[in-house]
Amino acid sequence: MSIHQVESQHSAECWSCGSAHGDDTLFFCNQCGAIQAASDTADYFQLLGVEPTFMVNLPVIEGKYKALQRKLHPDMYATKQKVEQDFSADQSSLVNKAYATLVNPLSRAIYLLRLRGIEAGDGEEGTMSDFELLSEVMEIREAIEEAEDIGGLQKLHQENAEKMRQSGAAFAAALQAGELQQALEWVHRMTYWDRIDKEITRKL
Amino acid sequence: MVRPILYRLADCPNSSLCRRLFLPPLLSPLLRDVPFVSSEFPTPSCAAFPLQFVRTDQQLSFSSSFRTGASYQPLGFPQESSLGGTKQPGVKSKKRDISAQFAPGASFPAQMADLMESEDFFHQAVTEERRPGDPSGAKDDVSRLSPAIGIDLGTSYSRVAVWHEGEIKLVPLDENNNTEIPSCVGLGGSPDDSPGENILIGWPAFQLLPQGRAIHRARRIVGRVDTDESLQLGARFWPFLVQLPGIGIRPVIALKKGDRWESVNAEEVLALQLHYLRRAAERFLGRDVSDAVLTSPAAFTRFQCGRLAAAAAAAGLRVRRIVAEPNAVGLLYAAQEKQRESARRKGTGRSEAAGGAGKSDRGKGTGAPGEQKESGRGKETEGPKSDEKESEDKEKNVLVFHLGSGYCSVGIVCIDDGVSQSRAIAGAAFGTDDFVNNLVARALTDPRTRAPAPDAPTDRKTLFWLWQTYREAMVQLSESEFVDLPEDPALGKTLSRAEFEESNEGLFRACVDMVTRCLADARLKPREVQEVHLLGGGVRINKLEVRKGREYDDELVKGAALEAAIAGGVPGVDTGLLLLQGINHPLGIKVEGDVFQPILSRNALIPTSRELIFTTIKDNQEQAIIQFYEGEQPVVEQNVFLGCLQVAPLPRARAGFPKIIVCLDVDAGDALRAHARVEMPPGDYEDPPGPLPEPLVVKLPSVDVGHGWCKEALRIKYGTSADVRLYETAPTGVRKKDA
Ligand SMILES: [Zn+2]
């Protein structure tokens, strides 16, 4: 939430020409093309124009993101009115957040759950009651500690990436089947893999 | 044509060129499959960036296209390129000449004070007097037509470039038309203490260095404190006075005036340089210049960027953007790639219009400013699927590695059809200077006892000479395994490459670590990096003689000039070009237990904002002091203090009850703002909680003396009584599970 958004609430009409917004108005007026206030209802998938699923096509997201920033970035509004500059700053910021959330598997999974009313934390801490998983995580941590060369770490890194991929796939399946509780547990696993990933990269 | 700066691995089979930059041999195991691609920079076929230079034997001169229209004035540089004292001829500016305010012989700080005071006057002068003074621009669009300039205020060399007449031009900076000058500020004039001395910038100041009458490397000093280890080691070898008592203050630096030391500070030195550069740009353009885009090393903290901006303000420049070095290179490269691509398409007879989205490229100099700009935006169209495929193929991940003399910056940028998106960035506050420092330190150490050699020289002049000798030797090591050193008791007989590498093992390791971290941050495997661009000035600062007509590292300043043109909406600039920068260091606040709680993470693309909810740690806590920090360390003390917000009075409530909402907001110009407000969750309160404090917004950094004292002072005054911690919103999912 930035200062601009407080000042200019998303309204039902174009600030410039006064025509009513369509259902799909996210960034620009359908009539006059003027940039509009950032939507406070659209979710990140809608903003980037992709299906709200876990298995996203990353290159497509990258492409859509850049196409949007080309049109929304404040650099493009240097010679425009103040109101347009403010809208551009908010819209560009929002698109950046949407992109950052969707491009990372863990934050994307957490966001998908949030859209379904389930709060899985922010991916930085997770509570874990699955002892099997806990001991697995402990083992990996020890292996990281003991790894002596880059090669060993890289192997662990690859294994971890594979676990992340598998957990992601399982999460996607659970979500699709509507098994939200299960999906949440997979997110917890992903949280651990993500943390391990960070630990390994710190040592690499 | 400018000489290529990038090196092809293939070009240097015996890796002598690589040796010159030291790094490819080190990086190559890491980036085994990556071609060290280079393109000639700029390519002869690249029509977008023709440089209007003709090379003559000794120097660069301008070709016939050097015209600036009605307001053109011949370049008139005074004999000594002085800022103060003499009147500068050849400047047709109706506004009062700021330099005329310097009384000859006035002391440095006094002159700076004048300069600062004249700021209001200055901006007034620019806005009021431009119209009568500038025949070409009469209306409001003056600012549009007169883009900001790009400045690369390097540790050792400075450059200026500007988008002018449809292309990026390097600005000649002195009477010899050098487009890069040493970042040196000196006191010229008579060697005795008589009045009439001048402030000298660039080469004239550079000559005075050995006598201690000039300051260099102010960018290494700015925004750092005297406890800094790298400063402690390096400053011994500087020819001017540096005092580092190690108590957390700004380093004391001074230059020689007669037989006394005249103290200055780094911001003043930078301001004088920037003022000089601004004036050179004004001469070149024949108009006033009030805005600039600066480059900065990736390692620069926000505090340092703030000091840089303050120096710019003192020099009469508003900083539009500060572009991290790898991003400047990325943007320029993206533009050149796009230009090449469209040239290729034209060449193969394909219509450019087939490109679809983002192809609003109207080339340079085709006139019709602003039209396609409108049509390119405002429509929420995305290209058809085939286009996405195509752009996907063109996407290139480029690793930029810049080892300057004071700082090392690494970045991975993703180049795609004119857009340069930062994927990861890392920086360190060491450069080639530190490599030399280590060599000298080694020479001054007794190899057996590891203590300082008993007969080691201590006087400033000798140390500087030693340092320069080793710097020279380091460069020669690019071409040979051994270098013979001049005969001197303080020097050994030779320096070998092995010795050099041994002395600097730690720095080499740090270079590789930065690349590794960038790859990890960008979630890229080495083979997914298509190109590596290496640049660095450190290796060429070695020769003391003035080297005219040689250019390196121009990409930085050209990238800055391009960003200035893009962000200024200058007509004629391809509207398909865009620079997407990220945050260089995590930003967050201090929470209970001296823990750093990041709010915005490293590499988050800007503009961006994020809020986190915090709460009190004590019942009926009266206030919260939100302390903002920047840095990578989990222990808050080790990060850079940016300022604090006092949130008071807090409503009476149990610990953990009030919601203190903190939002960090970084805009497209990389300005950081902190917002704080308090909310009380709905509930039955025995006592009415009382009024809430008003929401606050503060621009950061809000302290101008970071220096570690503020955090200490806060601790002494408040202890933990005003601490906060994260507000606990129990994840709903977890609660469900318990039920
Ligand atoms: Zn409209």
Side-chain angles (χ1 to χ4, degrees):
Chain A
M1 182 76 63
S2 87
I3 23 174
H4 309 308
Q5 274 171 342
V6 181
E7 285 162 9
S8 48
Q9 289 298 320
H10 196 66
S11 70
E13 300 173 345
C14 170
W15 61 272
S16 176
C17 72
S19 61
H21 283 160
D23 295 338
D24 55 345
T25 302
L26 286 175
F27 307 106
F28 302 102
C29 172
N30 298 343
Q31 295 299 316
C32 71
I35 189 168
Q36 302 297 312
S39 164
D40 41 16
T41 51
D43 68 48
Y44 292 164
F45 293 97
Q46 287 168 322
L47 286 175
L48 289 178
V50 294
E51 284 300 305
T53 58
F54 181 75
M55 294 304 189
V56 292
N57 184 342
L58 282 180
V60 169
I61 288 192
E62 300 276 355
K64 301 238 180 192
Y65 165 72
K66 275 177 237 178
L68 281 174
Q69 285 298 12
R70 263 183 217 279
K71 292 183 277 176
L72 296 171
H73 195 275
D75 275 5
M76 304 298 173
Y77 290 81
T79 56
K80 299 294 174 71
Q81 294 178 46
K82 175 83 169 63
V83 57
E84 290 170 283
Q85 290 176 348
D86 287 351
F87 288 159
S88 145
D90 287 346
Q91 292 274 26
S92 180
S93 176
L94 189 62
V95 167
N96 271 335
K97 271 183 272 184
Y99 168 74
T101 306
L102 299 195
V103 88
N104 174 308
L106 176 60
S107 58
R108 183 166 68 235
I110 291 171
Y111 187 71
L112 278 163
L113 283 182
R114 188 171 300 153
L115 288 180
R116 287 159 177 77
I118 293 176
E119 209 52 59
D122 52 8
E124 272 150 38
E125 53 217 272
T127 31
M128 181 52 58
S129 47
D130 181 338
F131 286 105
E132 220 172 291
L133 177 61
L134 267 185
S135 59
E136 188 181 346
V137 168
M138 298 274 270
E139 267 171 44
I140 297 171
R141 289 224 164 111
E142 266 168 44
I144 296 173
E145 284 302 311
E146 284 160 15
E148 271 158 16
D149 57 342
I150 291 273
L153 279 174
Q154 273 167 346
K155 190 162 158 280
L156 287 169
H157 200 228
Q158 270 169 15
E159 286 171 6
N160 193 57
E162 178 57 23
K163 281 186 188 131
M164 182 61 115
R165 206 190 56 73
Q166 283 171 1
S167 297
F171 167 82
L175 194 72
Q176 195 146 32
E179 300 280 354
L180 295 185
Q181 195 54 47
Q182 229 172 16
L184 180 68
E185 271 161 44
W186 284 112
V187 166
H188 286 153
R189 277 167 196 268
M190 289 167 77
T191 307
Y192 275 92
W193 308 144
D194 188 67
R195 235 184 289 169
I196 288 169
D197 181 82
K198 281 181 189 145
E199 273 168 48
I200 299 176
T201 36
R202 204 174 301 147
K203 282 199 74 180
L204 266 177
Chain B
M1 195 45 66
V2 176
R3 141 182 201 288
I5 288 111
L6 311 173
Y7 299 90
R8 232 180 272 258
L9 202 59
D11 282 344
C12 36
N14 56 7
S15 78
S16 74
L17 273 178
C18 302
R19 284 290 178 174
R20 180 165 298 187
L21 276 166
F22 309 123
L23 289 146
L26 282 151
L27 300 183
S28 38
L30 200 70
L31 301 163
R32 204 172 294 116
D33 312 323
V34 182
F36 278 68
V37 181
S38 85
S39 30
E40 282 190 83
F41 232 80
T43 52
S45 62
C46 174
F49 306 95
L51 287 162
Q52 311 290 324
F53 292 129
V54 195
R55 190 182 291 277
T56 58
D57 276 341
Q58 270 302 299
Q59 63 185 54
L60 290 170
S61 60
F62 289 98
S63 77
S64 58
S65 61
F66 174 55
R67 273 176 286 108
T68 54
S71 53
Y72 165 70
Q73 283 292 314
L75 288 167
F77 282 89
Q79 198 58 44
E80 292 207 294
S81 315
S82 64
L83 248 186
T86 54
K87 193 179 178 302
Q88 310 199 2
V91 181
K92 184 185 154 194
S93 171
K94 292 236 168 103
K95 73 178 170 48
R96 247 161 76 214
D97 195 327
I98 208 164
S99 62
Q101 298 200 336
F102 290 157
S107 75
F108 233 76
Q111 287 174 2
M112 281 311 299
D114 280 351
L115 194 50
M116 310 272 182
E117 266 172 30
S118 62
E119 268 325 284
D120 284 343
F121 143 75
F122 173 79
H123 281 297
Q124 227 178 342
V126 168
T127 46
E128 282 179 8
E129 293 188 30
R130 172 179 282 137
R131 279 156 215 177
D134 183 354
S136 62
K139 287 168 225 85
D140 274 347
D141 54 6
V142 160
S143 61
R144 252 183 263 176
L145 295 172
S146 52
I149 56 172
I151 300 181
D152 174 24
L153 190 63
T155 307
S156 51
Y157 283 88
S158 304
R159 297 161 198 88
V160 178
V162 64
W163 180 273
H164 184 58
E165 295 178 338
E167 55 208 19
I168 298 172
K169 286 187 175 159
L170 292 169
V171 174
L173 297 175
D174 61 16
E175 68 272 26
N176 295 320
N177 282 345
N178 284 315
T179 53
E180 60 166 28
I181 55 167
S183 300
C184 281
V185 174
L187 282 180
S190 46
D192 57 1
D193 204 7
S194 65
E197 73 214 339
N198 298 317
I199 295 168
L200 302 176
I201 314 269
W203 288 113
F206 188 77
Q207 323 286 11
L208 298 176
L209 262 182
Q211 302 153 44
R213 285 163 65 203
I215 304 269
H216 70 167
R217 280 147 175 67
R219 191 170 77 153
R220 280 205 80 163
I221 306 167
V222 73
R224 286 165 89 173
V225 287
D226 63 347
T227 47
D228 194 304
E229 272 178 37
S230 150
L231 275 185
Q232 298 261 11
L233 180 64
R236 294 196 279 155
F237 310 127
W238 285 342
F240 49 91
L241 182 73
V242 188
Q243 295 235 302
L244 304 167
I247 53 172
I249 56 164
R250 188 161 66 185
V252 178
I253 56 176
L255 40 67
K256 204 130 197 193
K257 183 180 176 186
D259 52 3
R260 292 186 283 115
W261 291 104
E262 184 85 25
S263 80
V264 292
N265 67 48
E267 286 91 333
E268 290 166 354
V269 173
L270 291 179
L272 288 166
Q273 283 177 248
L274 286 164
H275 182 258
Y276 178 89
L277 299 175
R278 194 195 96 214
R279 295 302 304 274
E282 288 181 344
R283 280 190 195 94
F284 176 68
L285 296 168
R287 61 165 171 88
D288 291 335
V289 168
S290 57
D291 294 72
V293 170
L294 302 183
T295 59
S296 80
F300 252 35
T301 63
R302 270 172 199 280
F303 187 71
Q304 284 177 296
C305 287
R307 301 324 296 157
L308 192 57
L317 285 168
R318 211 179 1 242
V319 177
R320 286 268 167 206
R321 294 272 190 281
I322 293 186
V323 182
E325 284 163 351
N327 292 330
V329 176
L331 177 64
L332 187 71
Y333 187 59
Q336 291 171 332
E337 282 285 280
K338 189 172 182 195
Q339 193 73 27
R340 268 192 282 276
E341 176 67 15
S342 71
R344 193 184 60 77
R345 284 187 187 204
K346 276 187 199 131
T348 52
R350 279 182 56 187
S351 163
E352 230 185 288
K359 293 291 178 297
S360 46
D361 178 8
R362 57 175 181 273
K364 57 120 194 164
T366 50
E371 282 166 21
Q372 261 158 316
K373 210 175 195 171
E374 308 300 328
S375 66
R377 291 170 195 145
K379 270 180 268 161
E380 213 192 314
T381 50
E382 270 118 27
K385 282 274 184 282
S386 61
D387 261 9
E388 265 157 30
K389 271 262 169 57
E390 204 173 302
S391 65
E392 197 184 307
D393 293 338
K394 277 184 305 194
E395 194 178 288
K396 249 185 206 172
N397 293 311
V398 178
L399 179 98
V400 180
F401 190 102
H402 177 218
L403 181 61
S405 42
Y407 291 91
C408 183
S409 303
V410 186
I412 296 177
V413 290
C414 175
I415 305 295
D416 181 11
D417 194 25
V419 179
S420 170
Q421 178 189 341
S422 168
R423 291 241 185 247
I425 200 158
F430 67 81
T432 45
D433 275 6
D434 296 80
F435 287 74
V436 186
N437 292 346
N438 287 340
L439 283 177
V440 187
R442 175 195 163 102
L444 298 180
T445 307
D446 192 308
R448 277 158 303 178
T449 59
R450 299 200 162 267
D455 50 352
T458 50
D459 74 292
R460 211 172 298 282
K461 234 176 183 165
T462 315
L463 283 172
F464 185 54
W465 177 80
L466 269 179
W467 191 82
Q468 282 178 313
T469 308
Y470 272 106
R471 194 173 55 171
E472 184 106 5
M474 180 176 82
V475 168
Q476 288 171 18
L477 280 182
S478 310
E479 263 115 46
S480 57
E481 283 290 331
F482 293 92
V483 177
D484 292 324
L485 298 171
E487 251 177 69
D488 187 275
L491 298 167
K493 278 209 159 52
T494 56
L495 177 69
S496 72
R497 200 176 278 169
E499 283 171 314
F500 169 75
E501 283 167 12
E502 191 195 307
S503 318
N504 287 301
E505 225 181 325
L507 294 181
F508 286 132
R509 169 104 228 123
C511 289
V512 176
D513 286 350
M514 277 192 279
V515 174
T516 315
R517 197 187 86 176
C518 275
L519 286 168
D521 278 1
R523 290 172 192 266
L524 289 174
K525 295 185 186 74
R527 67 166 179 278
E528 290 169 308
V529 173
Q530 279 85 24
E531 291 186 18
V532 177
H533 290 190
L534 300 168
L535 49 149
V539 288
R540 61 196 179 71
I541 56 173
N542 306 278
K543 302 215 165 101
L544 267 172
E545 92 234 32
V546 179
R547 298 195 299 175
K548 292 183 184 113
R550 301 189 69 181
E551 289 164 279
Y552 304 77
D553 294 353
D554 290 340
E555 297 92 276
L556 291 178
V557 71
K558 285 183 195 160
L562 187 56
E563 171 63 7
I566 295 168
V570 175
V573 182
D574 182 351
T575 54
L577 302 181
L578 181 62
L579 173 62
L580 295 168
Q581 291 210 76
I583 290 174
N584 293 355
H585 314 285
L587 296 163
I589 72 163
K590 176 192 157 181
V591 293
E592 191 181 10
D594 292 335
V595 172
F596 176 63
Q597 171 62 51
I599 296 179
L600 288 172
S601 56
R602 179 172 78 215
N603 298 320
L605 291 159
I606 60 172
T608 192
S609 67
R610 184 169 175 231
E611 64 178 36
L612 276 184
I613 307 177
F614 298 89
T615 190
T616 50
I617 59 161
K618 292 193 166 68
D619 289 343
N620 298 326
Q621 190 171 322
E622 284 168 7
Q623 62 175 335
I625 306 231
I626 315 291
Q627 300 179 32
F628 300 95
Y629 288 85
E630 171 181 50
E632 317 274 349
Q633 304 303 325
V635 179
V636 81
E637 296 290 283
Q638 292 162 17
N639 292 324
V640 179
F641 180 71
L642 296 176
C644 61
L645 262 180
Q646 191 172 19
V647 182
L650 290 176
R652 287 178 61 80
R654 273 181 290 120
F657 216 69
K659 283 177 157 177
I660 303 164
I661 299 152
V662 178
C663 173
L664 289 180
D665 173 292
V666 178
D667 72 14
D670 204 29
L672 169 65
R673 280 180 193 79
H675 308 236
R677 63 180 201 277
V678 178
E679 280 175 14
M680 289 296 280
D684 294 329
Y685 297 103
E686 285 173 26
D687 304 320
L692 300 176
E694 60 172 340
L696 296 167
V697 184
V698 65
K699 193 162 182 253
L700 295 174
S702 64
V703 285
D704 58 0
V705 278
H707 306 350
W709 286 2
C710 293
K711 26 188 180 183
E712 197 51 41
L714 281 166
R715 180 196 305 283
I716 292 167
K717 180 147 173 72
Y718 296 103
T720 59
S721 72
D723 275 7
V724 294
R725 63 172 166 82
L726 268 175
Y727 185 84
E728 274 168 34
T729 34
T732 54
V734 175
R735 205 178 283 152
K736 243 188 215 165
K737 196 175 174 185
D738 292 342

